[in-house]
């Protein structure tokens, strides 16, 4: 993977820290995401649930929309932290795919990334044009 160990560790630590801000009264499953833009800036997101469950926003999409709102369009890597290491859901994979392939790190609430992959590996044969 073309991301230094130091950069990986920083991204995972930031995902773990923002995870503590998750609003998840229905699932109790707090998730944090840290998205590294090509600019070098890191954007954070935590999941935000709705009593109308379909309105829930995942940590990954929260981080991505924050970055896009700041004008970012290219990304290098994403770290996701939760009680146990998880991969982005299908909706988040598809939205992230708009912005190209990125490295995806999954970590638990503490400790290093345990799984490192790419978005294109997670979403093969993605729908990308019509
Ligand atoms: N969730 C995320 O934020 N990211 C993921 O990668 C998986 C799921 C959230 C959505 C919901 O608030 C809770 O985790 C349980 O599904």
């Amino acid at each position: 993977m073309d991301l230094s160990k130091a950069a990986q560790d920083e991204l995972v630590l930031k995902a773990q820290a923002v995870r503590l801000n998750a609003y998840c009264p229905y699932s109790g499953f707090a998730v944090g995401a840290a998205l590294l833009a090509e600019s070098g800036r890191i954007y954070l997101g935590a999941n935000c649930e709705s009593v109308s469950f379909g309105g829930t926003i995942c940590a990954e999409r929260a981080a991505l929309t924050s970055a896009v709102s700041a004008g970012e369009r290219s990304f290098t890597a994403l770290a996701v932290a939760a009680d146990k290491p998880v991969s982005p859901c299908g909706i988040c994979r598809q939205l992230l795919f708009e912005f190209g392939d990125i490295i995806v790190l999954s970590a638990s609430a503490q400790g290093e990334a345990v799984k490192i992959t790419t978005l294109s590996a997670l979403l093969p044969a993605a729908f990308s044009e019509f």
Side-chain angles (χ1 to χ4, degrees):
M1 295 290 160
D2 197 17
L3 188 68
S4 72
K5 181 70 169 58
Q8 290 181 25
D9 289 348
E10 183 189 8
L11 216 52
V12 166
L13 277 175
K14 285 189 163 22
Q16 289 165 337
V18 71
R19 173 184 164 274
L20 301 176
N21 294 335
Y23 174 74
C24 53
Y26 307 108
S27 73
F29 191 69
V31 185
L35 181 62
L36 174 62
E38 274 182 10
S39 66
R41 289 191 62 188
I42 294 173
Y43 296 85
L44 305 178
N47 54 330
C48 182
E49 298 187 343
S50 168
V51 66
S52 174
F53 297 159
T56 291
I57 298 170
C58 293
E60 296 89 330
R61 270 176 295 140
L64 180 63
T65 53
S66 169
V68 168
S69 300
E72 303 285 2
R73 293 294 185 269
S74 317
F75 304 98
T76 306
L78 169 76
V80 184
D83 275 348
K84 59 178 185 180
V86 293
S87 298
C89 79
I91 294 171
C92 291
R93 291 179 199 194
Q94 185 69 52
L95 188 63
L96 287 160
F97 196 78
E98 294 288 322
F99 304 94
D101 202 5
I102 56 169
I103 296 167
V104 179
L105 310 162
S106 300
S108 52
Q110 280 111 23
E112 300 183 338
V114 299
K115 205 170 67 182
I116 305 177
T117 185
T118 60
L119 189 56
S120 55
L122 290 172
L123 192 66
F127 174 58
S128 62
E129 58 185 51
F130 59 91

